[in-house]
PDB file of all heavy atoms in Angstrom:
ATOM      1  N   MET A 163      14.156 244.262 120.405  1.00 85.00           N
ATOM      2  CA  MET A 163      15.442 245.059 120.761  1.00 85.00           C
ATOM      3  C   MET A 163      15.116 246.491 120.951  1.00 85.00           C
ATOM      4  O   MET A 163      15.906 247.404 120.445  1.00 85.00           O
ATOM      5  CB  MET A 163      16.507 244.902 119.598  1.00 85.00           C
ATOM      6  CG  MET A 163      16.699 243.383 119.341  1.00 85.00           C
ATOM      7  SD  MET A 163      18.029 243.221 118.141  1.00 85.00           S
ATOM      8  CE  MET A 163      17.070 243.442 116.617  1.00 85.00           C
ATOM      9  N   LYS A 164      14.179 246.777 121.746  1.00 85.00           N
ATOM     10  CA  LYS A 164      13.775 248.187 122.186  1.00 85.00           C
ATOM     11  C   LYS A 164      13.448 249.100 121.089  1.00 85.00           C
ATOM     12  O   LYS A 164      13.410 250.269 121.192  1.00 85.00           O
ATOM     13  CB  LYS A 164      14.897 248.838 122.985  1.00 85.00           C
ATOM     14  CG  LYS A 164      15.154 248.116 124.284  1.00 85.00           C
ATOM     15  CD  LYS A 164      16.200 248.848 125.208  1.00 85.00           C
ATOM     16  CE  LYS A 164      16.367 247.993 126.378  1.00 85.00           C
ATOM     17  NZ  LYS A 164      17.264 248.720 127.268  1.00 85.00           N
ATOM     18  N   MET A 165      12.993 248.441 119.929  1.00 89.00           N
ATOM     19  CA  MET A 165      12.493 249.240 118.762  1.00 89.00           C
ATOM     20  C   MET A 165      11.101 248.667 118.352  1.00 89.00           C
ATOM     21  O   MET A 165      10.824 247.514 118.559  1.00 89.00           O
ATOM     22  CB  MET A 165      13.394 249.024 117.512  1.00 89.00           C
ATOM     23  CG  MET A 165      14.691 249.586 117.752  1.00 89.00           C
ATOM     24  SD  MET A 165      15.728 249.466 116.181  1.00 89.00           S
ATOM     25  CE  MET A 165      14.678 250.198 115.065  1.00 89.00           C
ATOM     26  N   GLU A 166      10.145 249.609 118.085  1.00 90.00           N
ATOM     27  CA  GLU A 166       8.841 249.239 117.550  1.00 90.00           C
ATOM     28  C   GLU A 166       8.883 249.099 116.152  1.00 90.00           C
ATOM     29  O   GLU A 166       9.391 249.925 115.347  1.00 90.00           O
ATOM     30  CB  GLU A 166       7.851 250.329 118.031  1.00 90.00           C
ATOM     31  CG  GLU A 166       7.728 250.491 119.616  1.00 90.00           C
ATOM     32  CD  GLU A 166       6.692 251.572 119.908  1.00 90.00           C
ATOM     33  OE1 GLU A 166       5.915 251.941 119.013  1.00 90.00           O
ATOM     34  OE2 GLU A 166       6.540 251.805 121.133  1.00 90.00           O
ATOM     35  N   ASN A 167       8.385 247.965 115.740  1.00 89.00           N
ATOM     36  CA  ASN A 167       8.223 247.616 114.289  1.00 89.00           C
ATOM     37  C   ASN A 167       6.791 247.397 113.924  1.00 89.00           C
ATOM     38  O   ASN A 167       6.054 246.403 114.430  1.00 89.00           O
ATOM     39  CB  ASN A 167       8.930 246.222 113.989  1.00 89.00           C
ATOM     40  CG  ASN A 167      10.448 246.273 114.391  1.00 89.00           C
ATOM     41  OD1 ASN A 167      11.238 246.850 113.803  1.00 89.00           O
ATOM     42  ND2 ASN A 167      10.788 245.849 115.615  1.00 89.00           N
ATOM     43  N   ALA A 168       6.264 248.159 112.937  1.00 90.00           N
ATOM     44  CA  ALA A 168       4.877 248.213 112.569  1.00 90.00           C
ATOM     45  C   ALA A 168       4.917 247.213 111.377  1.00 90.00           C
ATOM     46  O   ALA A 168       5.683 247.420 110.421  1.00 90.00           O
ATOM     47  CB  ALA A 168       4.410 249.601 112.116  1.00 90.00           C
ATOM     48  N   LEU A 169       4.053 246.178 111.496  1.00 93.00           N
ATOM     49  CA  LEU A 169       3.953 245.230 110.417  1.00 93.00           C
ATOM     50  C   LEU A 169       2.584 245.620 109.538  1.00 93.00           C
ATOM     51  O   LEU A 169       1.655 245.793 110.132  1.00 93.00           O
ATOM     52  CB  LEU A 169       3.842 243.772 110.929  1.00 93.00           C
ATOM     53  CG  LEU A 169       5.104 243.375 111.820  1.00 93.00           C
ATOM     54  CD1 LEU A 169       4.784 241.872 112.164  1.00 93.00           C
ATOM     55  CD2 LEU A 169       6.280 243.504 111.025  1.00 93.00           C
ATOM     56  N   THR A 170       2.835 245.691 108.326  1.00 92.00           N
ATOM     57  CA  THR A 170       1.728 246.086 107.472  1.00 92.00           C
ATOM     58  C   THR A 170       1.229 244.982 106.557  1.00 92.00           C
ATOM     59  O   THR A 170       1.937 243.997 106.257  1.00 92.00           O
ATOM     60  CB  THR A 170       2.252 247.407 106.509  1.00 92.00           C
ATOM     61  OG1 THR A 170       3.247 246.912 105.747  1.00 92.00           O
ATOM     62  CG2 THR A 170       2.549 248.524 107.404  1.00 92.00           C
ATOM     63  N   ALA A 171       0.066 245.136 105.985  1.00 92.00           N
ATOM     64  CA  ALA A 171      -0.491 244.180 105.019  1.00 92.00           C
ATOM     65  C   ALA A 171       0.330 244.186 103.773  1.00 92.00           C
ATOM     66  O   ALA A 171       0.383 245.224 103.167  1.00 92.00           O
ATOM     67  CB  ALA A 171      -1.957 244.550 104.812  1.00 92.00           C
ATOM     68  N   PRO A 172       0.698 243.076 103.252  1.00 89.00           N
ATOM     69  CA  PRO A 172       1.397 242.956 102.014  1.00 89.00           C
ATOM     70  C   PRO A 172       0.638 243.055 100.756  1.00 89.00           C
ATOM     71  O   PRO A 172       1.034 243.210  99.768  1.00 89.00           O
ATOM     72  CB  PRO A 172       2.044 241.575 102.100  1.00 89.00           C
ATOM     73  CG  PRO A 172       1.300 240.795 102.942  1.00 89.00           C
ATOM     74  CD  PRO A 172       0.620 241.774 103.938  1.00 89.00           C
ATOM     75  N   ARG A 173      -0.856 242.986 100.957  1.00 90.00           N
ATOM     76  CA  ARG A 173      -1.690 243.027  99.883  1.00 90.00           C
ATOM     77  C   ARG A 173      -3.069 243.207 100.459  1.00 90.00           C
ATOM     78  O   ARG A 173      -3.394 243.243 101.675  1.00 90.00           O
ATOM     79  CB  ARG A 173      -1.680 241.681  99.167  1.00 90.00           C
ATOM     80  CG  ARG A 173      -2.184 240.512 100.010  1.00 90.00           C
ATOM     81  CD  ARG A 173      -2.325 239.170  99.150  1.00 90.00           C
ATOM     82  NE  ARG A 173      -2.700 238.187 100.006  1.00 90.00           N
ATOM     83  CZ  ARG A 173      -3.932 237.653 100.221  1.00 90.00           C
ATOM     84  NH1 ARG A 173      -4.928 238.447  99.601  1.00 90.00           N
ATOM     85  NH2 ARG A 173      -4.205 236.644 100.909  1.00 90.00           N
ATOM     86  N   ASP A 174      -4.024 243.551  99.484  1.00 92.00           N
ATOM     87  CA  ASP A 174      -5.473 243.650  99.960  1.00 92.00           C
ATOM     88  C   ASP A 174      -6.042 242.325 100.355  1.00 92.00           C
ATOM     89  O   ASP A 174      -5.698 241.257  99.675  1.00 92.00           O
ATOM     90  CB  ASP A 174      -6.368 244.143  98.832  1.00 92.00           C
ATOM     91  CG  ASP A 174      -5.944 245.619  98.338  1.00 92.00           C
ATOM     92  OD1 ASP A 174      -5.080 246.242  99.061  1.00 92.00           O
ATOM     93  OD2 ASP A 174      -6.568 246.023  97.393  1.00 92.00           O
ATOM     94  N   ALA A 175      -6.669 242.255 101.475  1.00 94.00           N
ATOM     95  CA  ALA A 175      -7.090 240.910 101.890  1.00 94.00           C
ATOM     96  C   ALA A 175      -8.144 241.046 103.013  1.00 94.00           C
ATOM     97  O   ALA A 175      -8.520 242.108 103.547  1.00 94.00           O
ATOM     98  CB  ALA A 175      -5.917 240.189 102.594  1.00 94.00           C
ATOM     99  N   ILE A 176      -8.602 239.906 103.441  1.00 95.00           N
ATOM    100  CA  ILE A 176      -9.523 239.840 104.620  1.00 95.00           C
ATOM    101  C   ILE A 176      -8.777 238.933 105.696  1.00 95.00           C
ATOM    102  O   ILE A 176      -8.241 238.017 105.357  1.00 95.00           O
ATOM    103  CB  ILE A 176     -10.944 239.124 104.259  1.00 95.00           C
ATOM    104  CG1 ILE A 176     -11.690 240.007 103.201  1.00 95.00           C
ATOM    105  CG2 ILE A 176     -11.744 238.946 105.489  1.00 95.00           C
ATOM    106  CD1 ILE A 176     -12.889 239.336 102.718  1.00 95.00           C
ATOM    107  N   ILE A 177      -8.906 239.443 106.865  1.00 96.00           N
ATOM    108  CA  ILE A 177      -8.169 238.864 108.059  1.00 96.00           C
ATOM    109  C   ILE A 177      -8.898 237.564 108.345  1.00 96.00           C
ATOM    110  O   ILE A 177     -10.158 237.600 108.710  1.00 96.00           O
ATOM    111  CB  ILE A 177      -8.025 239.728 109.262  1.00 96.00           C
ATOM    112  CG1 ILE A 177      -7.215 240.987 108.885  1.00 96.00           C
ATOM    113  CG2 ILE A 177      -7.395 238.940 110.440  1.00 96.00           C
ATOM    114  CD1 ILE A 177      -5.921 240.763 108.531  1.00 96.00           C
ATOM    115  N   LYS A 178      -8.331 236.308 108.108  1.00 96.00           N
ATOM    116  CA  LYS A 178      -8.876 235.020 108.483  1.00 96.00           C
ATOM    117  C   LYS A 178      -8.815 234.715 109.850  1.00 96.00           C
ATOM    118  O   LYS A 178      -9.761 234.243 110.642  1.00 96.00           O
ATOM    119  CB  LYS A 178      -8.204 233.949 107.512  1.00 96.00           C
ATOM    120  CG  LYS A 178      -8.770 232.556 107.695  1.00 96.00           C
ATOM    121  CD  LYS A 178      -8.041 231.695 106.705  1.00 96.00           C
ATOM    122  CE  LYS A 178      -8.575 230.303 106.836  1.00 96.00           C
ATOM    123  NZ  LYS A 178      -7.848 229.490 105.825  1.00 96.00           N
ATOM    124  N   SER A 179      -7.499 234.915 110.515  1.00 96.00           N
ATOM    125  CA  SER A 179      -7.368 234.538 111.981  1.00 96.00           C
ATOM    126  C   SER A 179      -6.122 235.258 112.472  1.00 96.00           C
ATOM    127  O   SER A 179      -5.355 235.661 111.798  1.00 96.00           O
ATOM    128  CB  SER A 179      -7.123 233.066 112.003  1.00 96.00           C
ATOM    129  OG  SER A 179      -6.025 232.633 111.546  1.00 96.00           O
ATOM    130  N   ILE A 180      -6.301 235.528 113.819  1.00 96.00           N
ATOM    131  CA  ILE A 180      -5.157 236.146 114.546  1.00 96.00           C
ATOM    132  C   ILE A 180      -4.670 235.207 115.705  1.00 96.00           C
ATOM    133  O   ILE A 180      -5.438 234.824 116.446  1.00 96.00           O
ATOM    134  CB  ILE A 180      -5.653 237.430 115.146  1.00 96.00           C
ATOM    135  CG1 ILE A 180      -6.152 238.392 113.951  1.00 96.00           C
ATOM    136  CG2 ILE A 180      -4.516 238.231 115.867  1.00 96.00           C
ATOM    137  CD1 ILE A 180      -6.791 239.675 114.338  1.00 96.00           C
ATOM    138  N   SER A 181      -3.407 234.919 115.552  1.00 96.00           N
ATOM    139  CA  SER A 181      -2.929 233.848 116.448  1.00 96.00           C
ATOM    140  C   SER A 181      -2.162 234.435 117.773  1.00 96.00           C
ATOM    141  O   SER A 181      -1.621 233.741 118.481  1.00 96.00           O
ATOM    142  CB  SER A 181      -1.898 233.038 115.822  1.00 96.00           C
ATOM    143  OG  SER A 181      -2.401 232.427 114.650  1.00 96.00           O
ATOM    144  N   ILE A 182      -2.218 235.878 117.759  1.00 96.00           N
ATOM    145  CA  ILE A 182      -1.552 236.365 118.933  1.00 96.00           C
ATOM    146  C   ILE A 182      -2.441 237.548 119.505  1.00 96.00           C
ATOM    147  O   ILE A 182      -3.540 237.827 118.963  1.00 96.00           O
ATOM    148  CB  ILE A 182      -0.248 237.106 118.390  1.00 96.00           C
ATOM    149  CG1 ILE A 182      -0.288 237.932 117.086  1.00 96.00           C
ATOM    150  CG2 ILE A 182       0.923 236.179 118.277  1.00 96.00           C
ATOM    151  CD1 ILE A 182      -0.872 239.315 117.192  1.00 96.00           C
ATOM    152  N   GLU A 183      -1.951 238.073 120.566  1.00 95.00           N
ATOM    153  CA  GLU A 183      -2.711 239.145 121.287  1.00 95.00           C
ATOM    154  C   GLU A 183      -1.821 240.151 122.015  1.00 95.00           C
ATOM    155  O   GLU A 183      -0.575 239.750 122.190  1.00 95.00           O
ATOM    156  CB  GLU A 183      -3.727 238.635 122.371  1.00 95.00           C
ATOM    157  CG  GLU A 183      -3.131 237.727 123.422  1.00 95.00           C
ATOM    158  CD  GLU A 183      -4.129 237.153 124.320  1.00 95.00           C
ATOM    159  OE1 GLU A 183      -5.124 236.555 123.837  1.00 95.00           O
ATOM    160  OE2 GLU A 183      -3.913 237.068 125.686  1.00 95.00           O
ATOM    161  N   LYS A 184      -2.366 241.293 122.290  1.00 96.00           N
ATOM    162  CA  LYS A 184      -1.442 242.379 122.857  1.00 96.00           C
ATOM    163  C   LYS A 184      -0.802 241.866 124.131  1.00 96.00           C
ATOM    164  O   LYS A 184      -1.490 241.184 124.958  1.00 96.00           O
ATOM    165  CB  LYS A 184      -2.353 243.539 123.110  1.00 96.00           C
ATOM    166  CG  LYS A 184      -1.610 244.717 123.697  1.00 96.00           C
ATOM    167  CD  LYS A 184      -2.530 245.915 123.971  1.00 96.00           C
ATOM    168  CE  LYS A 184      -1.751 247.071 124.655  1.00 96.00           C
ATOM    169  NZ  LYS A 184      -2.528 248.201 124.782  1.00 96.00           N
ATOM    170  N   GLY A 185       0.493 242.191 124.297  1.00 96.00           N
ATOM    171  CA  GLY A 185       1.226 241.669 125.552  1.00 96.00           C
ATOM    172  C   GLY A 185       1.896 240.424 125.352  1.00 96.00           C
ATOM    173  O   GLY A 185       2.752 239.887 126.271  1.00 96.00           O
ATOM    174  N   GLN A 186       1.632 239.712 124.376  1.00 96.00           N
ATOM    175  CA  GLN A 186       2.267 238.370 124.184  1.00 96.00           C
ATOM    176  C   GLN A 186       3.582 238.364 123.640  1.00 96.00           C
ATOM    177  O   GLN A 186       3.923 239.242 122.751  1.00 96.00           O
ATOM    178  CB  GLN A 186       1.323 237.420 123.187  1.00 96.00           C
ATOM    179  CG  GLN A 186       1.645 236.009 122.881  1.00 96.00           C
ATOM    180  CD  GLN A 186       0.846 235.302 121.968  1.00 96.00           C
ATOM    181  OE1 GLN A 186      -0.333 235.722 121.734  1.00 96.00           O
ATOM    182  NE2 GLN A 186       1.297 234.229 121.369  1.00 96.00           N
ATOM    183  N   THR A 187       4.494 237.490 124.138  1.00 96.00           N
ATOM    184  CA  THR A 187       5.730 237.344 123.647  1.00 96.00           C
ATOM    185  C   THR A 187       5.827 236.273 122.356  1.00 96.00           C
ATOM    186  O   THR A 187       5.169 235.245 122.484  1.00 96.00           O
ATOM    187  CB  THR A 187       6.744 236.859 124.705  1.00 96.00           C
ATOM    188  OG1 THR A 187       6.785 237.796 125.816  1.00 96.00           O
ATOM    189  CG2 THR A 187       8.194 236.772 124.157  1.00 96.00           C
TER     190      THR A 187
END
Side-chain angles (χ1 to χ4, degrees):
M163 298 182 290
K164 297 185 183 186
M165 290 182 60
E166 293 183 7
N167 301 283
L169 300 184
T170 59
R173 64 178 179 88
D174 294 356
I176 296 172
I177 302 299
K178 182 177 177 182
S179 69
I180 300 173
S181 306
I182 43 86
E183 57 188 42
K184 182 178 177 177
Q186 181 177 345
T187 302

